[in-house]
Amino acid sequence: MKALEKNKTWETVDFPREKTTVGCKWVFTIKYESDGSLEMYKARLVTKGITQTYDIDYLETFAPVAKSNTMRVLLSLAANLNWPLQQLDVKKCFS
């Protein structure tokens, strides 16, 4: 929270009394290598979006997620078509 507030990408506000919170839950996944050995444990926090109502609880959805296959295709196109590329370093990222 401190990093988000410092970067001015987050602002804490009082919760409106007439609104209800959107619930969330943890989803735990175990990833395995192709040989069956353990690769990693993953955890993510997801909202229970079924409790939301459009235009009341939210106005739009934004999910900046890029699949690795998409990135490979874009990098291949950039290399083959001589497109300029730029690098972006993200200081704080949550997934």
Side-chain angles (χ1 to χ4, degrees):
M1 290 295 293
K2 287 180 183 178
L4 292 172
E5 289 172 351
K6 180 182 174 187
N7 290 330
K8 298 184 179 175
T9 57
W10 187 273
E11 178 183 345
T12 55
V13 296
D14 293 329
F15 193 76
R17 292 182 188 189
E18 68 277 2
K19 299 292 182 179
T20 58
T21 59
V22 176
C24 61
K25 66 177 181 175
W26 284 99
V27 176
F28 299 99
T29 309
I30 301 173
K31 298 287 184 176
Y32 296 96
E33 298 283 353
S34 57
D35 63 359
S37 63
L38 179 68
E39 180 182 356
M40 72 174 79
Y41 295 101
K42 294 182 81 174
R44 61 189 170 142
L45 184 65
V46 296
T47 62
K48 296 179 181 177
I50 193 75
T51 62
Q52 291 178 292
T53 305
Y54 181 76
D55 208 27
I56 295 174
D57 294 322
Y58 71 96
L59 298 175
E60 61 185 47
T61 301
F62 180 69
V65 177
K67 300 268 185 187
S68 59
N69 287 343
T70 304
M71 296 306 299
R72 284 189 198 108
V73 169
L74 290 174
L75 289 173
S76 174
L77 283 170
N80 288 311
L81 298 174
N82 293 321
W83 290 349
L85 293 175
Q86 294 182 350
Q87 179 181 344
L88 172 69
D89 292 329
V90 178
K91 292 183 180 180
K92 298 291 177 192
C93 182
F94 303 95
S95 57

